[in-house]
């Protein structure tokens, strides 16, 4: 039976993906829904597509291999399949579909997901989504265009994602290694460690710190009092019982001006989109801005203002850019199930901020920054779309004749 830990090349075909539905947390309705979506995907992409996709991506994307094992992955898989089926009915999607059928690497896969998401927002707000519209007087193309039958000016969108930098990956690799080493000490001696990092040490100093922690764990396991090991990188306490709030590891804050790194990354799209009289840039900040910085500690008006200042400073002369929409992407938030607790809407003079529970345990944070004076109506399209994102999948499931999401997964 296939499971999330299998090697990247372990899926030999659609039949094996269908077999996965017998494992994990899918209900009978869930298995039926997944089988229906898999059948549509196979018809759309062809019997040999999975092999091409695995070769291009370096394995299967998580949306295609985790749907039976994680409650947060199932809605992403269903959204992918249902949105692809709907987009295929749009003639302008043919170019995107042709690229998909050849297989997409990780960056191109994220780009596809973002195009489909923006296209779904268009239909959710009463527009008709088009794809790959040609830039006037150029051989370039944007990603999505919102059209209506009443002659309103189209809303044109360029999409992009910002991924982690090498220093970011090194930062998380260090802390992952430290967590693994501390877990081994806990299991070896039957103790609990409570870590609060303010920075990182070099390899030799880290090794010495861990040896001190291990020696302290021996004392605590024999009935001694708790021990605290201090270094310039923070503290590690060794105790016999877990803390009352359950927090045992706080990583070091990630330094660097991420606001302006984000703005600079969008700067490339400014040049790429020249030729359009007005265009929005939609970016997923997947570099840890939302999760691993002081973002969550800042009040929402402060977050909106910081992004507005960063964007305006990075490209003051980009008169064709109507605005920028920045999102965390769909972020896993264990326990986030109650919209009355999780959901936030903040309207400020510099823009609008939203947090929404999209599905149980999945949230999205979005900041909409207008950069032109006459785009209030379009800003409201973005705000209304993402404010109502929770209803998209339920509506698509109903249209496809499938059970509601709550009936597809057994907790």
């Amino acid at each position: 039976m296939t499971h999330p830990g299998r090697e990247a090349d372990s899926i030999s075909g659609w039949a094996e993906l269908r077999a996965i539905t017998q494992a994990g947390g899918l209900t009978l309705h869930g298995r039926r829904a997944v089988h229906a979506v898999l059948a549509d995907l196979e018809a759309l992409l062809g019997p040999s597509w999975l092999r091409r996709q695995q070769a291009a991506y370096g394995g299967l994307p998580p949306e295609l291999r985790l749907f039976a094992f994680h409650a947060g992955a199932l809605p992403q898989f269903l959204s992918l399949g249902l949105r692809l089926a709907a987009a295929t009915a749009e003639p302008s999607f043919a170019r995107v579909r042709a690229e998909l059928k050849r297989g997409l690497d990780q960056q191109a896969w994220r780009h596809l997901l973002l195009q489909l998401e923006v296209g779904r927002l268009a239909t959710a707000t009463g527009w008709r989504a088009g794809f790959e519209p040609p830039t006037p007087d150029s051989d370039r193309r944007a990603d999505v265009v919102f059209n209506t039958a009443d002659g309103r000016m189209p809303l044109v969108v360029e999409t992009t994602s910002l991924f982690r930098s090498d220093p970011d990956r090194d930062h998380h690799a260090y802390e992952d290694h430290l967590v693994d080493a501390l877990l081994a000490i806990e299991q070896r001696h039957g103790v609990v460690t409570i870590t609060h990092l303010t920075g990182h040490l070099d390899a030799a100093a880290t090794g010495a710190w861990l040896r001190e922690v291990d020696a302290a764990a021996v004392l605590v396991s024999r009935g001694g009092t708790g021990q605290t090991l201090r270094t310039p990188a923070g503290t590690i306490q060794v105790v016999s019982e877990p803390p009352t709030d359950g927090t045992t590891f706080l990583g070091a804050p990630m330094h660097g001006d991420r606001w302006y790194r984000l703005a600079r990354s969008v700067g490339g799209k400014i040049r790429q989109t020249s030729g359009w009289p007005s265009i929005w840039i939609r970016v997923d900040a997947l570099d840890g801005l939302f999760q691993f910085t002081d973002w969550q500690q800042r009040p929402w008006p402060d977050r909106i203002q910081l992004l507005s200042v960063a964007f305006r400073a990075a490209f003051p002369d980009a008169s064709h850019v109507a605005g920028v929409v920045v999102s965390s992407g769909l972020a896993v938030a264990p326990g986030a199930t109650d919209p009355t607790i999780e959901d936030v809407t903040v309207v400020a003079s510099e823009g609008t901020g939203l947090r929404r529970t999209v599905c149980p345990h999945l949230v999205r944070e979005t900041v909409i920054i207008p950069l032109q004076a006459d785009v209030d109506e379009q800003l409201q399209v973005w705000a209304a779309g993402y404010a109502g994102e929770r209803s998209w999948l339920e509506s698509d499931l109903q249209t496809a004749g499938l059970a509601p999401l709550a009936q597809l997964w057994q907790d």
Side-chain angles (χ1 to χ4, degrees):
M1 180 65 66
T2 303
H3 59 83
R6 289 283 292 270
E7 294 300 321
D9 61 353
S10 62
I11 301 297
S12 59
W14 295 101
E16 191 168 351
L17 272 185
R18 285 190 285 271
I20 292 176
T21 62
Q22 301 303 314
L26 295 172
T27 65
L28 177 60
H29 286 301
R31 291 194 290 274
R32 288 173 177 169
V34 168
H35 277 273
V37 170
L38 285 173
D40 287 344
L41 286 172
E42 184 175 9
L44 175 68
L45 300 171
S48 61
W49 175 76
L50 284 172
R51 291 194 296 273
R52 293 193 297 275
Q53 180 55 39
Q54 288 183 103
Y57 191 89
L60 277 185
E63 293 80 11
L64 292 174
R65 60 184 171 83
L66 298 179
F67 54 76
F69 302 98
H70 297 287
L74 176 61
Q76 295 180 72
F77 164 77
L78 296 170
S79 294
L80 167 66
L82 295 170
R83 289 174 190 175
L84 271 175
T88 301
E90 164 59 43
S92 62
F93 192 71
R95 294 172 59 93
V96 181
R97 180 184 176 186
E99 289 293 326
L100 172 60
K101 292 184 73 171
R102 285 191 283 269
L104 302 177
D105 63 19
Q106 294 187 25
Q107 186 169 348
W109 181 261
R110 287 296 316 175
H111 188 72
L112 168 72
L113 296 181
L114 196 45
Q115 279 185 284
L116 290 171
E117 176 191 306
V118 172
R120 183 63 182 86
L121 184 145
T123 59
T125 52
W127 300 68
R128 183 175 63 84
F131 297 90
E132 305 282 329
T135 302
D137 302 319
S138 170
D139 59 357
R140 302 188 305 273
R141 291 178 178 270
D143 291 315
V144 185
V145 59
F146 296 19
N147 294 301
T148 62
D150 61 9
R152 274 186 290 171
M153 180 181 293
L155 191 159
V156 184
V157 185
E158 180 74 11
T159 65
T160 189
S161 295
L162 178 63
F163 298 95
R164 289 182 181 177
S165 64
D166 289 340
D168 289 347
R169 286 190 284 271
D170 291 343
H171 180 103
H172 290 288
Y174 177 91
E175 297 195 355
D176 288 345
H177 168 73
L178 189 64
V179 167
D180 290 343
L182 292 171
L183 285 174
I185 291 172
E186 291 179 347
Q187 293 170 0
R188 192 158 55 244
H189 301 296
V191 298
V192 176
T193 61
I194 304 171
T195 304
H196 186 182
L197 297 182
T198 56
H200 291 172
L201 301 174
D202 62 27
T206 301
W209 196 13
L210 287 169
R211 287 191 292 276
E212 292 179 4
V213 172
D214 190 75
V218 173
L219 296 176
V220 172
S221 69
R222 294 173 178 172
T225 60
Q227 305 283 313
T228 299
L229 296 310
R230 303 181 187 278
T231 73
T235 62
I236 299 177
Q237 293 177 270
V238 184
V239 296
S240 58
E241 298 291 338
T244 55
D245 66 357
T247 302
T248 59
F249 191 94
L250 290 176
M254 298 180 67
H255 300 292
D257 199 341
R258 291 171 177 271
W259 315 97
Y260 286 94
R261 179 174 180 258
L262 172 62
R264 286 193 298 272
S265 76
V266 176
K269 292 296 181 181
I270 300 299
R271 295 181 291 275
Q272 185 178 330
T273 56
S274 61
W276 289 100
S278 180
I279 191 167
W280 284 82
I281 297 177
R282 167 69 180 87
V283 55
D284 263 355
L286 306 177
D287 63 333
L289 168 67
F290 287 83
Q291 294 86 5
F292 305 119
T293 68
D294 62 351
W295 174 268
Q296 296 297 337
Q297 282 71 53
R298 292 180 179 270
W300 269 97
D302 191 17
R303 304 179 197 182
I304 296 167
Q305 182 184 36
L306 281 167
L307 285 180
S308 177
V309 169
F311 287 133
R312 292 178 185 279
F315 30 87
D317 300 322
S319 59
H320 67 291
V321 179
V324 182
V325 181
V326 182
S327 167
S328 62
L330 288 178
V332 176
T337 59
D338 187 348
T340 63
I341 297 174
E342 300 292 336
D343 290 5
V344 175
T345 301
V346 176
V347 179
S349 58
E350 301 93 342
T352 297
L354 301 167
R355 176 182 170 91
R356 286 294 184 273
T357 309
V358 179
C359 298
H361 316 295
L362 282 179
V363 301
R364 181 192 302 280
E365 294 191 0
T366 307
V367 180
I368 308 158
I369 304 294
L371 297 176
Q372 293 178 353
D374 56 350
V375 294
D376 286 349
E377 181 181 357
Q378 294 186 349
L379 184 152
Q380 292 306 315
V381 171
W382 289 107
Y386 279 118
E389 185 177 4
R390 186 163 48 248
S391 68
W392 298 358
L393 179 56
E394 295 293 2
S395 176
D396 294 343
L397 288 168
Q398 183 178 25
T399 299
L402 301 172
L405 183 62
Q407 298 181 22
L408 307 183
W409 187 266
Q410 53 191 3
D411 292 323

